[in-house]
């Protein structure tokens, strides 16, 4: 777990989300997709923890499960010491005002029949937050904080640009004054020109309000800009986790090194090409799930699944061939 998380706001332990497959033959063995398969991390208040990975790595399922929009198969999700995985009904509703979510696609995540002001106000009314008489003023203030004008409250989502719609989504997430905002690919549906503005808005809002972000993205450039600590996910498991400086200056896991070498702007000569396809998440191999694509794989890798272990404070790696002294495998 991250070194920054000695008094964590959120602590996820051995989280598993397995989606059972429908059986065509009742006598056949029950199978399931292992979307999240033993994820553990902790994050501190006021900081930004990022989860990066390719499509299918399980990062979005992890985020949606923490939000309790998907039920976990097993594991714990402790938010300030209370396990959200076991909360239901009114207790879960009470906890919900403390953590909110900003989604990838602002158009489909906003109710097209509601005006922008009503969308931002909705969580206040639903969760009975603040005096009814002051809610309108708080909505106006939120519009200003995210770079919109209070007069725009009366417009519908389709009357805004993509960037403005994401600003409405951010204002809605801020309305209940949460301690944690989960952002799932929040700029990947936006034009490149607008992305930097929205990322900088996220940073300035965090400075003003002091909440933490759990930031999900496939884009290493976004992660580098936004995150204090970063976990790299592959096929449902964390392969490496470190603070931003360590991860970018001294990546240790072969998968992290391949991802970083392929990032835009990197020298093509030093690029590590990932060969082969990831294994089937329904039929995972017994050893390292990256072995089929790893140029360092040896017999042990195919037999024994590597566990995350601490290489130095805050830097964890799941690879048999990374030495305890922190040397990555070499050709
Ligand atoms: Fe590669 Fe083996 Fe390390 Fe897996 S455990 S990443 S196969 S060297």
């Amino acid at each position: 777990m991250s070194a920054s998380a000695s008094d964590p706001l959120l602590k996820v332990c051995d989280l598993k989300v397995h989606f059972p497959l429908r059986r065509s033959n009742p006598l056949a063995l029950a199978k399931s997709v292992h979307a999240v398969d033993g994820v553990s991390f902790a994050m501190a208040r006021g900081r930004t923890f990022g989860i990066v990975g390719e499509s299918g790595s399980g990062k979005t399922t992890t985020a949606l499960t923490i939000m309790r929009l998907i039920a976990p198969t097993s594991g714990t999700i402790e938010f300030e010491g209370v396990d959200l995985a076991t909360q239901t009904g009114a207790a879960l509703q009470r906890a919900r005002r403390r953590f909110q979510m900003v989604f990838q696609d602002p158009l489909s995540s906003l109710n097209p029949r509601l005006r922008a002001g009503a969308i931002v106000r909705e969580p206040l009314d639903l969760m009975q937050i603040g005096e009814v008489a002051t809610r309108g003023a708080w909505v106006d203030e939120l519009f200003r904080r995210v770079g919109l004008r209070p007069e725009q409250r009366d417009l519908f989502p389709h009357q805004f640009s993509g960037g403005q719609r994401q600003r409405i989504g951010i204002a809605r997430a801020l309305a209940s004054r949460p301690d944690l905002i989960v952002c799932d690919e929040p700029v990947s549906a936006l034009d490149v020109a607008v992305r930097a503005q929205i990322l900088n808005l996220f940073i300035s809002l965090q400075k003003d309000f002091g909440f933490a972000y759990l930031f999900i993205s496939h884009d290493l450039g976004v992660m580098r800009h936004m995150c204090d600590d970063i976990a790299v996910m592959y096929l449902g498991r964390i392969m490496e986790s470190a603070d931003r400086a360590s991860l970018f200056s001294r990546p240790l896991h072969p998968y992290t090194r391949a991802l970083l070498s392929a990032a835009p702007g990197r020298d093509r000569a030093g690029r590590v090409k990932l060969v082969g396809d990831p294994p089937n998440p329904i039929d995972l191999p017994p050893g390292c799930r990256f072995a089929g694509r790893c140029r360092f794989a040896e017999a042990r890798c195919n037999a024994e699944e590597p566990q995350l272990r601490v290489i130095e404070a805050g830097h964890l790696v799941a690879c048999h061939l990374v030495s305890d002294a922190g040397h990555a495998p070499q050709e």
Side-chain angles (χ1 to χ4, degrees):
M1 294 188 191
S2 164
S4 63
S6 52
D7 175 23
L9 174 71
L10 178 74
K11 188 173 168 193
V12 174
C13 278
D14 203 18
L15 185 67
K16 292 184 182 166
V17 185
H18 296 174
F19 297 114
L21 293 175
R22 194 187 284 263
R23 275 186 286 184
S24 50
N25 173 359
L27 299 175
L29 218 56
K31 292 195 168 188
S32 53
V33 176
H34 294 210
V36 179
D37 207 18
V39 161
S40 300
F41 66 90
M43 53 179 290
R45 8 183 119 256
R47 286 174 68 89
T48 300
F49 186 92
I51 302 180
V52 68
E54 297 169 295
S55 156
S57 61
K59 57 190 189 307
T60 291
T61 305
T62 302
L64 294 175
T65 309
I66 288 167
M67 290 299 297
R68 283 297 312 272
L69 298 173
I70 292 177
T73 305
S74 63
T76 58
I77 307 163
E78 279 184 29
F79 186 76
E80 294 194 316
V82 175
D83 184 8
L84 297 178
T86 59
Q87 301 289 300
T88 53
L92 183 59
Q93 282 303 332
R94 263 197 310 280
R96 275 239 161 91
R97 60 185 285 181
R98 312 278 309 282
F99 53 95
Q100 292 292 324
M101 186 153 188
V102 174
F103 294 90
Q104 175 176 3
D105 180 359
L107 188 56
S108 62
S109 67
L110 303 178
N111 185 338
R113 286 184 293 276
L114 286 185
R115 295 179 194 275
I119 290 172
V120 175
R121 184 182 167 123
E122 197 175 33
L124 300 176
D125 293 334
L126 282 174
M127 293 186 261
Q128 300 284 302
I129 297 170
E131 299 294 324
V132 175
T134 63
R135 287 179 196 160
W138 178 228
V139 170
D140 284 353
E141 175 63 13
L142 288 167
F143 268 64
R144 284 189 210 95
R145 295 287 193 116
V146 300
L148 297 171
R149 286 174 285 112
E151 308 87 82
Q152 293 175 296
R153 290 169 56 146
D154 293 330
L155 301 178
F156 289 97
H158 73 269
Q159 295 174 288
F160 290 90
S161 68
Q164 286 175 323
R165 281 195 286 268
Q166 196 55 298
R167 289 174 194 267
I168 297 169
I170 295 166
R172 179 181 59 184
L174 288 175
S176 63
R177 299 177 189 269
D179 296 294
L180 170 67
I181 299 185
V182 177
C183 303
D184 181 21
E185 301 272 11
V187 295
S188 60
L190 302 178
D191 290 345
V192 174
V194 181
R195 284 184 195 173
Q197 293 169 16
I198 298 294
L199 291 177
N200 290 334
L201 174 65
F202 277 120
I203 292 171
S204 75
L205 290 170
Q206 187 178 46
K207 282 192 186 126
D208 290 349
F209 289 94
F211 46 70
Y213 288 120
L214 174 60
F215 220 86
I216 309 294
S217 179
H218 68 283
D219 185 329
L220 281 161
V222 167
M223 294 314 237
R224 191 171 205 161
H225 190 68
M226 291 299 300
C227 301
D228 300 302
D229 304 292
I230 299 167
V232 179
M233 263 187 97
Y234 183 78
L235 265 181
R237 284 181 80 91
I238 291 178
M239 295 285 155
E240 182 162 9
S241 169
D243 65 76
R244 173 179 50 196
S246 303
L247 192 88
F248 282 94
S249 66
R250 203 161 72 94
L252 296 174
H253 195 284
Y255 177 59
T256 313
R257 293 167 77 91
L259 275 188
L260 286 180
S261 81
R266 290 290 175 126
D267 180 6
R268 292 183 75 86
R271 200 162 278 191
V272 181
K273 203 158 177 271
L274 277 178
V275 290
D277 294 317
N280 184 342
I282 301 165
D283 247 330
L284 287 164
C288 173
R289 49 195 74 190
F290 186 59
R293 303 173 83 189
C294 180
R295 57 203 173 125
F296 306 107
E298 51 184 52
R300 181 183 175 194
C301 304
N302 289 313
E304 197 184 317
E305 179 147 44
Q307 302 301 313
L308 263 184
R309 66 187 211 281
V310 179
I311 299 299
E312 61 184 38
H315 198 151
L316 290 78
V317 184
C319 171
H320 293 309
L321 299 195
V322 172
S323 74
D324 290 342
H327 296 300
Q330 304 291 331
E331 312 234 46

